[in-house]
């Protein structure tokens, strides 16, 4: 039986956890750093603080984020919780996305999200690289 060809880079794919996709158990309070690629004021690298499972604050960590923060500091609710990243991915997957990738660590924590819902729509791409998740 021939092996299945690998998915094309633009195919809708998901990379689940090593144990077959164990869901991530979101703690009540945590911080994480995220590099966000998007057309808008949440672009750049940010330290995001989540309290009671809601984003409480976002601190700019690089020149891009500092640029946006100097002109318009995005509100905390404009940033996702890590569970929010998974929910956003699931929502996009209900359609027929051009690109949809969700990578997780072995404990289920989201590590990378890449979305392009429609290849013909300009500036709808969204990507998040998650770094340094700290619980507590």
């Amino acid at each position: 039986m021939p092996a299945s060809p690998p998915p094309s880079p633009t195919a809708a794919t998901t990379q689940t956890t090593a144990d077959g996709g164990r869901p991530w158990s979101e703690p009540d309070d945590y911080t994480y750093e995220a590099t966000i690629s998007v057309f808008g004021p949440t672009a750049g690298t940010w330290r995001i603080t989540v309290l009671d499972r809601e984003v409480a604050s976002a601190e700019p960590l690089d020149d891009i984020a500092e640029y946006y923060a100097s002109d318009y500091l995005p509100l905390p609710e404009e940033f996702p919780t890590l569970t929010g990243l998974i929910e956003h991915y699931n929502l996009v997957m209900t359609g027929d996305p051009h690109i949809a990738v969700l990578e997780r660590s072995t404990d289920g924590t989201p590590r990378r999200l890449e979305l392009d819902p429609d290849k013909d729509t300009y500036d709808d791409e969204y990507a998040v690289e998650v770094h340094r998740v700290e619980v507590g």
Side-chain angles (χ1 to χ4, degrees):
M1 180 183 213
S4 300
S8 69
T10 58
T13 61
T14 182
Q15 184 176 7
T16 58
T17 62
D19 65 355
R22 180 169 57 132
W24 184 59
S25 180
E26 182 179 39
D28 290 337
D29 303 331
Y30 60 95
T31 61
Y32 73 97
E33 293 179 11
T35 301
I36 302 172
S37 300
V38 66
F39 182 74
T42 60
T45 302
W46 301 82
R47 179 175 297 111
I48 299 167
T49 301
V50 176
L51 301 174
D52 294 324
R53 297 187 178 179
E54 293 187 16
V55 175
S57 66
E59 174 189 349
L61 298 178
D62 70 358
D63 291 342
I64 296 169
E66 287 282 349
Y67 170 79
Y68 283 110
S70 69
D71 188 41
Y72 165 78
L73 184 60
L75 299 172
E77 56 266 18
E78 293 179 67
F79 294 90
T81 63
L82 293 179
T83 295
L85 289 176
I86 297 168
E87 290 170 349
H88 192 69
Y89 170 81
N90 290 336
L91 179 64
V92 169
M93 288 302 293
T94 63
D96 184 21
H98 176 60
I99 297 172
V101 177
L102 175 62
E103 294 178 2
R104 302 180 195 205
S105 65
T106 56
D107 69 355
T109 304
R111 291 295 179 192
R112 186 174 79 89
L113 173 70
E114 183 181 353
L115 300 173
D116 184 0
D118 184 348
K119 72 177 183 176
D120 296 324
T121 301
Y122 182 70
D123 288 339
D124 70 335
E125 299 88 359
Y126 181 68
V128 179
E129 293 280 340
V130 176
H131 321 277
R132 295 189 179 108
V133 177
E134 297 177 10
V135 177

